[in-house]
Amino acid sequence: MIVARAQKPQSLPRVLAAAPALLLLLIAAAVSSIAAAPAAAAPIRIVSSDPPNGADRVAPEAELYVVFDQPTAKSGIFSVADFDSGGNGVILTLNAPRWSALGDTVYLKPTFPMQYGHRHAIQVQTINAPDPANTGVNLPIIYFNVAPRANVVRIGPPDLFASVTLVPGVPTPITVGARETAGTAAYFTRARYRFYTGEQIDLKGAFSVVPIEQGETFVSLQIPRRGTAQFTVPVTLSRNAARAAGRDPLGVELTLEGYDETGLPTTFSVTSRVGTSAMSDSTLFLTRGMVTPSLGAQIAIGSVFLESPLPGTAVASGDTLIPRAVVTGIGTGPFRGAFILDDEVVALVEGFLESGRPDTVVARGPIPTRRLGEHRLQFVIESPQRIAAAPITFLCVPPPRGLSPVRGGAPPEPPALGVAPPTTTFDVTWLATGGTKYRGDDGSATGWAAWRGGTNLGGVARLEANGTWRVRFDDTKNGSASPEQAVVRLRGKRTTVEWGDVAPSLASGAPLFASAVPRRAAQVVHRCPIFGTIETYVALEAHPRSAGGPARDARSDLYAARLARDVGPQLRLSAYGGYTHEDPTAGGAETATRARAIYGGGGSATLGRTWRWSGDVATVRHRAFEGVETGRSRTAVRSEFAGKLVGADLRAEGFRYQPDLATELNPYAISDRQGGALSAAYDIKGFWRVFGDFRFEEPVERLGPIPTPFGPLGGVPYLSARRVALGTRVSLAGGASVTPILIRIRHRGDQTDFTETRLSSEFSAPEMRGGRTVGRFDVAIFDDDLGVAQKRKVVAGSFVTTRRHPGRITSTLAFGIENDDRVDLELQDKTLNGSFELSWEVSPGRILLTPYVVYLDRRLESAGFREEQVSGRLQIALVRVPALADGSVSIEGRLTRAIRKEPYEDRETDGAVSLTIAQRLPLVP
């Protein structure tokens, strides 16, 4: 039993003493009661969504969701609307909503995919809460756009189209400018082409006939969002189809197939005619195809070879470095190239292919070499097709004795004539450079070592070697033991043996046998008093250094030898032979193994006192491979007479080159032509020289008509080419000279009446205190009376001046301009380029200040592209730093401002800083 007893009341003082504790208890109880009380009415709000409000690239199959700020009753009214369907929009049908566990997220999935490129919206009309007072009504609307499908359209007037020349059996590129307008990138992986008979090229005619030939090729083309691109696709017309086509133009249809960012298939089509193909739902790009031998084709670049400098070359700061490249291809016409140094255009080059003959282009002046460190050089063909040679890296290292003599001292005197060089020499130059991130390239730290040495062997031979190695300090796997550049050479009295990055010496004087293409190879030159000079060349698993185009991926085994002997004082004969084994490479031009043998010979003779004869003959034997290549032989013959007559220098040449003469040993070989050339030059009073030449060419192989019971059918039209050049060279006061030349080329045939008229002039003059100024301009007009949209006017010019100024200042100013006006298409491409480099020795031999500025402006209406770019650099170099044993330290800042105006506006500013330390160590003087 529990008994409750009444307690005795406490006294007042004791109650007052417990008041603070009671007050705390009362406050705690109040807080607890407030926390336990129901919350005040707060309607549900949206805190997040996917897609977010304003999203513009939502997938059409996306599942949408909305996140609320509190748990819900998992019920409500939702809608998704398509504003661009119908007159006032369409409400989409939704699957049953899906909820999260707490009910604070609802997932909405349209029953059918949303429309590409349409504007959509999500609205929550009602969202129920456990407490009806918190139910949300008409919450904010969430707007978004579904990603559009790519829309690629042709650039240029829709009512004009260009004709192309089709070379039987040779891939002929067709180039089309395009722009993407929907904001979705597109990628094309396959190209289909068809050829139709001549009557089907009527722009307004029906189109339903079966093509006489069709084909396809794999491509890798892309166009960015709202960007522009030039699609170049090679199409091949077989020899049999060319014969059957006859003398009428062909219709050519081109269709690109691929996919866009949405993952759906897409087709690029442009309309040059009314109608659609019965075999395709897309409209067509149909153009006139003019069948012609390669001699009369439109210009198409094949490969590009950067012959000089070699990768890994080390030059002293301020040395003269003039790069050289060779461009090969077919056809006649201009091309625009650029030498790019450290991602900046330093020299524009305007070149011209003439009837498919290789063209050697050289920078008008030296490229900048006064800034210490490593530099990346590349030669790029920008028009008519974009082909880039493989980039090479060269080093600018401190000069052997600094920039200038140190006060109080003098450089050592060079050895006197007749004094032998030191028996053994060996030195190493090391260079370390590090830079911050710049325009997408990550920051890096790189080290280089250049070794040079030589020693005499018993007084009868000398061994020389040099090599340049590279390693990434921040990524040691980015490199190998293989040097960037290497040469090992043993020189004897009669024999020279060398291995490394060399051009075949046997290419000299044998243009039908080999080309001077640098490769990593071995060669031996032996001068025998009995047999003559013997040259051998071997390159295993080799490829051209710094090549671009189909030649870049070539991997070949090359074997070649030449024997040359003097027969008396006036006759020299030679015989040569070679073998090439060319393996297919992934992504390369060759897809099957090929082997070719080359053999032939040549000679030269002195006739009388002033006349000289020379001649060559070479045969290329293509070995048969079943299903790939049939065995056949192709021969080239050339003969030349040169001498003086009545004070004039005369030269006459005759040649006959059969098709398919190009090999990896001689990629510059000219094929399928025969003809002759005559040139004359005459000096007047020692300062004025006038000259002129004439050349006639026509194809060797003529594809005649096919015999049928009803008579001959078809046949490729005959074509001839004539070139006339007249010029003069005038010597001016002070060592200056000017050389204007007028050139006219004409191709005539049943389908071609093409002419090129070009006036070019070059001015060269020395400058005070050293240096030189070189300027050149070209004005060329192209037209084809039988072609469509073929009229062009090209104006190009370049100017380079290098000068030395008082106060130990050296400057180089370069300027280039090219304006290509496609008259019939009313399109004009213009490129401006300028650069200025100044080198100032602030302290003689100690401090070097080098500012450098580059400007580039491209306005390419044919591609819908316009951009301006200004880049500036400033390098401060300390030379002969005592702490580095007279090494050098330089720091460089770089700032670039790029403004793109078409096809969209964009501005970009970027900068970087780099530090370079370099040192020369003469280990053995």
Side-chain angles (χ1 to χ4, degrees), residues 506 513 526-528 530-536 560-566 572-577 600-602:
L506 47 77
F513 179 44
H526 176 67
R527 296 171 178 82
C528 176
I530 299 177
F531 298 104
T533 302
I534 304 173
E535 300 169 278
T536 59
R562 180 173 66 173
L563 172 63
R565 190 177 189 281
D566 292 330
R572 182 177 179 84
L573 300 176
S574 65
Y576 46 70

Side-chain angles (χ1 to χ4, degrees), residues 436-729:
T436 60
K437 182 178 180 180
Y438 176 75
R439 302 192 72 178
D441 294 334
D442 295 332
S444 63
T446 308
W448 289 82
W451 302 79
R452 304 289 185 271
T455 183
N456 292 339
L457 302 177
V460 295
R462 181 170 179 81
L463 178 64
E464 301 173 342
N466 63 70
T468 306
W469 281 264
R470 174 186 185 272
V471 65
R472 278 279 298 271
F473 295 136
D474 56 334
D475 182 8
T476 56
K477 295 181 180 180
N478 186 8
S480 66
S482 178
E484 294 286 323
Q485 183 190 27
V487 174
V488 179
R489 183 181 296 111
L490 177 64
R491 297 180 183 272
K493 291 183 178 180
R494 295 179 178 175
T495 305
T496 300
V497 181
E498 60 183 340
W499 171 88
D501 299 309
V502 296
S505 63
L506 47 77
S508 176
L512 304 183
F513 179 44
S515 300
V517 179
R519 289 183 175 88
R520 186 156 292 178
Q523 63 181 2
V524 179
V525 179
H526 176 67
R527 296 171 178 82
C528 176
I530 299 177
F531 298 104
T533 302
I534 304 173
E535 300 169 278
T536 59
Y537 177 83
V538 177
L540 302 180
E541 290 295 323
H543 66 95
R545 304 297 304 267
S546 311
R552 172 179 296 180
D553 298 319
R555 294 291 188 277
S556 307
D557 295 335
L558 308 180
Y559 308 88
R562 180 173 66 173
L563 172 63
R565 190 177 189 281
D566 292 330
V567 182
Q570 296 182 328
L571 178 64
R572 182 177 179 84
L573 300 176
S574 65
Y576 46 70
Y579 177 80
T580 68
H581 186 274
E582 303 164 14
D583 292 326
T585 55
E590 295 291 350
T591 58
T593 301
R594 300 178 185 273
R596 299 177 175 93
I598 307 99
Y599 52 89
S604 61
T606 301
L607 307 176
R609 295 183 179 181
T610 60
W611 285 89
R612 183 177 179 83
W613 167 86
S614 63
D616 298 273
V617 58
T619 297
V620 178
R621 175 63 185 174
H622 298 255
R623 289 188 57 188
F625 282 90
E626 185 176 356
V628 176
E629 189 171 39
T630 59
R632 61 192 187 279
S633 296
R634 294 292 184 261
T635 302
V637 180
R638 184 186 68 91
S639 182
E640 177 182 310
F641 286 90
K644 282 185 174 293
L645 181 64
V646 196
D649 296 323
L650 301 179
R651 186 183 67 86
E653 179 186 10
F655 51 85
R656 189 177 190 273
Y657 307 139
Q658 288 187 326
D660 304 325
L661 291 174
T663 65
E664 286 301 314
L665 190 62
N666 188 12
Y668 303 166
I670 305 174
S671 300
D672 192 17
R673 68 195 61 200
Q674 60 186 357
L678 177 66
S679 64
Y682 189 77
D683 291 327
I684 301 176
K685 297 184 178 180
F687 69 91
W688 185 15
R689 182 177 179 85
V690 295
F691 54 87
D693 64 73
F694 170 80
R695 184 173 68 232
F696 170 81
E697 297 175 283
E698 63 179 5
V700 171
E701 185 176 79
R702 301 185 183 183
L703 299 179
I706 299 176
T708 67
F710 305 99
L713 176 65
V716 176
Y718 169 78
L719 180 138
S720 64
R722 291 175 172 82
R723 179 187 187 273
V724 178
L726 299 174
T728 182
R729 185 180 187 276

Side-chain angles (χ1 to χ4, degrees), residues 773-833:
T773 296
V774 178
R776 179 185 174 90
F777 78 90
D778 293 274
V779 179
I781 299 176
F782 304 87
D783 197 6
D784 190 341
D785 292 340
L786 301 181
V788 180
Q790 295 296 302
K791 190 171 184 178
R792 298 174 64 183
K793 296 180 180 179
V794 177
V795 178
S798 62
F799 174 84
V800 179
T801 178
T802 300
R803 300 185 178 188
R804 298 184 181 274
H805 310 272
R808 301 176 302 277
I809 296 176
T810 305
S811 67
T812 298
L813 174 65
F815 175 77
I817 182 173
E818 197 245 18
N819 186 84
D820 186 354
D821 186 4
R822 301 172 186 267
V823 179
D824 295 328
L825 298 177
E826 298 181 355
L827 298 175
Q828 192 175 83
D829 294 344
K830 180 180 292 185
T831 302
L832 296 174
N833 169 247

Side-chain angles (χ1 to χ4, degrees), residues 18-33:
L22 293 174
L23 181 61
L24 292 176
L25 291 174
L26 292 173
I27 295 173
V31 172
S32 299
S33 63

Side-chain angles (χ1 to χ4, degrees), residues 372-398:
L372 298 178
E374 65 173 65
H375 300 285
R376 181 184 176 96
L377 178 66
Q378 188 175 25
F379 180 70
V380 178
I381 297 293
E382 297 183 338
S383 175
Q385 297 96 32
R386 185 172 179 85
I387 299 178
I392 65 103
T393 302
F394 69 92
L395 308 180
C396 287
V397 298

Side-chain angles (χ1 to χ4, degrees), residues 421-438:
T423 302
T424 302
T425 60
F426 184 73
D427 68 86
V428 59
T429 300
W430 65 268
L431 183 148
T433 181
T436 60
K437 182 178 180 180
Y438 176 75

